[in-house]
Amino acid sequence: MALTLPLPDMIFAHGWWTVDGEKMSKSRGNVVDPNKMVDEFGADAFRYFLLREVPFGQDGDFSQDAMVTRVNSDLANGIGNLLSRTLTMIEKYCDGKTPKRNQHLDEVGNELENQVREVFNAIHDELHGLQFHRALGLIWSTIHFTDEYIEGRKPWGLAKDPANRALLEGVLYNVAETLRHIGVLLYPFMPQTAKSITEQLGLSIDFTTPLLSQELSWGKMTPGSKIHKGPPLFPRIEPKPQGAKTVSDATTPPQPTTAIPAPTTAAPQTPAPAAPASVASPQITIDEFQKIQLKTAKILTAERVPKSEKLLKLQVSLGEGTEPRQIVAGIGKKYTPEDLIGKTIIVVANLKPAKLMGIESQGMVLAAGDSEVSGLATIFEEVDPGTKVK
């Protein structure tokens, strides 16, 4: 004002960040080191949390638990899972090449194209108002919408009938094209993630040039181009309480079969003395138990494993937005495949896959019994697949 220069029309002022509800202080030792956060979670994940968690300019609270929750729910289970399942289906059903566009799907109204167009127009307004958290929320609404589109169109079902080939390719093309748009829209917030998405889709995009007019138009994916599926964008983070052992620390990891102990030897003729306390099963902490993800699952198909009277191969649903999962279970002496279809069971959903008789099993079915199965753990009431079991 003393120099009679024009005053600024707008001033950008950030808010204050607390840590677990307390003011940051060197004396308290609760200062968040951004470099350490980047080393642990990655720059893009940290950027996402800061921009999504709190509206720009307002005060916010940082906690490591909230960071892990965002990474697992939004990044690993959200965009990471959508990209992985899409590329897996393109590899499986289209020889790893971008499928052909189906003009009929476009003529009857492509839900994904309409969603992308609406979201792009809305994001423009949110960015103009510096509402970064809302802009990211719109992108994630498109991710959820695409998951629902996949669940509704069921590409794995279309693939079973050669007559549906054009429809199958059209559905997968639309999903891949939506992912391309998501990658472009994510670039200002998560540049490395945006590049990884487009590269895995087999695209080469120059993000150093203005993109909106060039890239955000529908139908730019080239049919027949090779995809390049890479490692997961954001592997799930399993929080490990300080000083506590977790299931992953065990020397002998559990195997994805039914939850039944190995057969025991024949019982002695005389009563056996009580086992001493020193050989009792080791106790676990609640933190160790919470590592195990128990969920409800609905059995879609069941068939016997050749050359095995005990093993059954199940295809189960863990809810909308997830592809059917294959589980091999040793319940074939108790149940026929026809007995199981439609039943809601309980499975260990986060068990590392393993092969049984050459067939991959992606989880564990819970059942009661000792050397033989006496009953399958099921849910009496009507419960949606994928519901957490506590």
Short mmCIF file of all heavy atoms in Angstrom, two decimals, residues 55-83:
data_model
loop_
_atom_site.label_atom_id
_atom_site.label_comp_id
_atom_site.label_asym_id
_atom_site.label_seq_id
_atom_site.Cartn_x
_atom_site.Cartn_y
_atom_site.Cartn_z
N PRO A 55 -10.67 -30.82 3.62
CA PRO A 55 -10.84 -29.75 2.62
C PRO A 55 -9.69 -28.76 2.67
O PRO A 55 -9.21 -28.38 3.74
CB PRO A 55 -12.16 -29.10 3.04
CG PRO A 55 -12.90 -30.16 3.80
CD PRO A 55 -11.84 -30.96 4.50
N PHE A 56 -9.24 -28.35 1.49
CA PHE A 56 -8.10 -27.43 1.39
C PHE A 56 -8.40 -26.13 2.14
O PHE A 56 -9.46 -25.54 1.98
CB PHE A 56 -7.81 -27.14 -0.09
CG PHE A 56 -6.68 -26.17 -0.29
CD1 PHE A 56 -5.37 -26.56 -0.07
CD2 PHE A 56 -6.93 -24.86 -0.70
CE1 PHE A 56 -4.33 -25.67 -0.26
CE2 PHE A 56 -5.89 -23.97 -0.90
CZ PHE A 56 -4.58 -24.37 -0.68
N GLY A 57 -7.44 -25.73 2.97
CA GLY A 57 -7.60 -24.49 3.72
C GLY A 57 -8.14 -24.68 5.11
O GLY A 57 -8.07 -23.76 5.94
N GLN A 58 -8.70 -25.83 5.42
CA GLN A 58 -9.25 -26.07 6.75
C GLN A 58 -8.28 -26.89 7.60
O GLN A 58 -7.34 -27.49 7.10
CB GLN A 58 -10.59 -26.81 6.64
CG GLN A 58 -11.66 -26.01 5.92
CD GLN A 58 -13.01 -26.69 5.94
OE1 GLN A 58 -13.27 -27.56 6.77
NE2 GLN A 58 -13.88 -26.30 5.03
N ASP A 59 -8.54 -26.91 8.90
CA ASP A 59 -7.71 -27.69 9.81
C ASP A 59 -8.02 -29.18 9.66
O ASP A 59 -9.15 -29.57 9.30
CB ASP A 59 -7.98 -27.27 11.26
CG ASP A 59 -7.54 -25.84 11.53
OD1 ASP A 59 -6.84 -25.28 10.67
OD2 ASP A 59 -7.92 -25.29 12.58
N GLY A 60 -7.00 -30.01 9.92
CA GLY A 60 -7.19 -31.45 9.81
C GLY A 60 -6.35 -32.19 10.82
O GLY A 60 -5.49 -31.62 11.49
N ASP A 61 -6.62 -33.47 10.94
CA ASP A 61 -5.89 -34.30 11.89
C ASP A 61 -5.24 -35.47 11.15
O ASP A 61 -5.90 -36.14 10.34
CB ASP A 61 -6.82 -34.84 12.97
CG ASP A 61 -6.08 -35.62 14.05
OD1 ASP A 61 -5.27 -35.00 14.76
OD2 ASP A 61 -6.29 -36.83 14.16
N PHE A 62 -3.98 -35.71 11.44
CA PHE A 62 -3.25 -36.80 10.81
C PHE A 62 -3.04 -37.92 11.82
O PHE A 62 -2.68 -37.69 12.97
CB PHE A 62 -1.87 -36.33 10.32
CG PHE A 62 -1.06 -37.43 9.69
CD1 PHE A 62 -1.17 -37.69 8.33
CD2 PHE A 62 -0.21 -38.22 10.44
CE1 PHE A 62 -0.44 -38.71 7.74
CE2 PHE A 62 0.53 -39.24 9.87
CZ PHE A 62 0.41 -39.48 8.51
N SER A 63 -3.30 -39.14 11.36
CA SER A 63 -2.95 -40.31 12.17
C SER A 63 -2.51 -41.41 11.21
O SER A 63 -3.01 -41.50 10.08
CB SER A 63 -4.12 -40.79 13.02
OG SER A 63 -5.09 -41.46 12.24
N GLN A 64 -1.59 -42.23 11.67
CA GLN A 64 -1.09 -43.31 10.84
C GLN A 64 -2.20 -44.31 10.54
O GLN A 64 -2.27 -44.86 9.44
CB GLN A 64 0.09 -44.02 11.51
CG GLN A 64 0.83 -44.99 10.60
CD GLN A 64 2.32 -44.75 10.57
OE1 GLN A 64 2.77 -43.62 10.76
NE2 GLN A 64 3.09 -45.78 10.37
N ASP A 65 -3.10 -44.54 11.51
CA ASP A 65 -4.22 -45.46 11.29
C ASP A 65 -5.12 -44.97 10.17
O ASP A 65 -5.58 -45.75 9.33
CB ASP A 65 -5.03 -45.63 12.58
CG ASP A 65 -4.30 -46.45 13.62
OD1 ASP A 65 -3.33 -47.15 13.26
OD2 ASP A 65 -4.69 -46.39 14.81
N ALA A 66 -5.39 -43.66 10.16
CA ALA A 66 -6.24 -43.10 9.10
C ALA A 66 -5.55 -43.22 7.75
O ALA A 66 -6.20 -43.48 6.72
CB ALA A 66 -6.56 -41.64 9.40
N MET A 67 -4.24 -43.04 7.74
CA MET A 67 -3.47 -43.18 6.50
C MET A 67 -3.56 -44.60 5.97
O MET A 67 -3.82 -44.83 4.78
CB MET A 67 -2.01 -42.81 6.78
CG MET A 67 -1.09 -42.94 5.58
SD MET A 67 -1.20 -41.53 4.47
CE MET A 67 -0.22 -42.14 3.10
N VAL A 68 -3.38 -45.58 6.84
CA VAL A 68 -3.45 -46.98 6.42
C VAL A 68 -4.85 -47.32 5.91
O VAL A 68 -5.02 -48.01 4.91
CB VAL A 68 -3.06 -47.91 7.59
CG1 VAL A 68 -3.39 -49.36 7.26
CG2 VAL A 68 -1.57 -47.77 7.90
N THR A 69 -5.87 -46.79 6.60
CA THR A 69 -7.26 -47.06 6.18
C THR A 69 -7.51 -46.51 4.78
O THR A 69 -8.13 -47.18 3.94
CB THR A 69 -8.24 -46.42 7.18
OG1 THR A 69 -8.06 -47.03 8.46
CG2 THR A 69 -9.68 -46.63 6.72
N ARG A 70 -7.04 -45.30 4.51
CA ARG A 70 -7.23 -44.71 3.18
C ARG A 70 -6.50 -45.53 2.11
O ARG A 70 -7.04 -45.78 1.03
CB ARG A 70 -6.70 -43.27 3.17
CG ARG A 70 -7.63 -42.24 3.76
CD ARG A 70 -8.82 -41.98 2.86
NE ARG A 70 -9.64 -40.89 3.37
CZ ARG A 70 -10.81 -40.55 2.85
NH1 ARG A 70 -11.29 -41.21 1.82
NH2 ARG A 70 -11.51 -39.57 3.36
N VAL A 71 -5.27 -45.93 2.41
CA VAL A 71 -4.50 -46.70 1.44
C VAL A 71 -5.21 -48.01 1.12
O VAL A 71 -5.36 -48.40 -0.05
CB VAL A 71 -3.07 -46.97 1.96
CG1 VAL A 71 -2.36 -47.97 1.06
CG2 VAL A 71 -2.27 -45.67 2.01
N ASN A 72 -5.67 -48.71 2.15
CA ASN A 72 -6.30 -50.02 1.94
C ASN A 72 -7.65 -49.91 1.27
O ASN A 72 -7.96 -50.65 0.33
CB ASN A 72 -6.42 -50.77 3.26
CG ASN A 72 -5.10 -51.30 3.76
OD1 ASN A 72 -4.14 -51.43 3.00
ND2 ASN A 72 -5.02 -51.61 5.04
N SER A 73 -8.50 -49.00 1.75
CA SER A 73 -9.87 -48.94 1.24
C SER A 73 -9.97 -48.25 -0.11
O SER A 73 -10.62 -48.74 -1.03
CB SER A 73 -10.78 -48.24 2.26
OG SER A 73 -10.37 -46.89 2.44
N ASP A 74 -9.30 -47.09 -0.26
CA ASP A 74 -9.44 -46.31 -1.49
C ASP A 74 -8.44 -46.71 -2.57
O ASP A 74 -8.79 -46.76 -3.76
CB ASP A 74 -9.27 -44.82 -1.18
CG ASP A 74 -10.37 -44.27 -0.30
OD1 ASP A 74 -11.18 -45.07 0.20
OD2 ASP A 74 -10.40 -43.05 -0.08
N LEU A 75 -7.19 -46.97 -2.15
CA LEU A 75 -6.14 -47.21 -3.15
C LEU A 75 -5.99 -48.69 -3.48
O LEU A 75 -6.03 -49.07 -4.65
CB LEU A 75 -4.82 -46.61 -2.66
CG LEU A 75 -4.86 -45.11 -2.33
CD1 LEU A 75 -3.49 -44.60 -1.93
CD2 LEU A 75 -5.42 -44.32 -3.51
N ALA A 76 -5.80 -49.54 -2.48
CA ALA A 76 -5.62 -50.96 -2.76
C ALA A 76 -6.92 -51.60 -3.23
O ALA A 76 -6.98 -52.24 -4.29
CB ALA A 76 -5.10 -51.68 -1.51
N ASN A 77 -8.01 -51.42 -2.45
CA ASN A 77 -9.29 -52.04 -2.81
C ASN A 77 -10.04 -51.25 -3.88
O ASN A 77 -10.97 -51.78 -4.49
CB ASN A 77 -10.18 -52.16 -1.58
CG ASN A 77 -9.63 -53.14 -0.55
OD1 ASN A 77 -8.72 -53.91 -0.86
ND2 ASN A 77 -10.16 -53.10 0.65
N GLY A 78 -9.66 -50.00 -4.10
CA GLY A 78 -10.36 -49.16 -5.07
C GLY A 78 -9.70 -49.19 -6.44
O GLY A 78 -9.92 -50.10 -7.23
N ILE A 79 -8.87 -48.20 -6.71
CA ILE A 79 -8.27 -48.10 -8.05
C ILE A 79 -7.33 -49.26 -8.34
O ILE A 79 -7.28 -49.77 -9.47
CB ILE A 79 -7.54 -46.74 -8.20
CG1 ILE A 79 -6.95 -46.61 -9.61
CG2 ILE A 79 -6.46 -46.57 -7.14
CD1 ILE A 79 -7.97 -46.68 -10.71
N GLY A 80 -6.59 -49.73 -7.32
CA GLY A 80 -5.66 -50.84 -7.56
C GLY A 80 -6.38 -52.11 -7.96
O GLY A 80 -5.99 -52.80 -8.90
N ASN A 81 -7.46 -52.43 -7.25
CA ASN A 81 -8.23 -53.64 -7.56
C ASN A 81 -8.91 -53.54 -8.91
O ASN A 81 -8.96 -54.51 -9.67
CB ASN A 81 -9.26 -53.89 -6.46
CG ASN A 81 -10.06 -55.15 -6.70
OD1 ASN A 81 -9.54 -56.26 -6.75
ND2 ASN A 81 -11.37 -54.98 -6.88
N LEU A 82 -9.46 -52.35 -9.23
CA LEU A 82 -10.15 -52.18 -10.51
C LEU A 82 -9.19 -52.39 -11.68
O LEU A 82 -9.52 -53.08 -12.65
CB LEU A 82 -10.77 -50.79 -10.58
CG LEU A 82 -11.44 -50.43 -11.91
CD1 LEU A 82 -12.58 -51.40 -12.22
CD2 LEU A 82 -11.96 -48.99 -11.89
N LEU A 83 -7.99 -51.79 -11.60
CA LEU A 83 -7.02 -51.96 -12.69
C LEU A 83 -6.60 -53.43 -12.79
O LEU A 83 -6.54 -53.98 -13.90
CB LEU A 83 -5.80 -51.08 -12.44
CG LEU A 83 -4.68 -51.20 -13.48
CD1 LEU A 83 -5.15 -50.69 -14.83
CD2 LEU A 83 -3.42 -50.46 -13.03
#
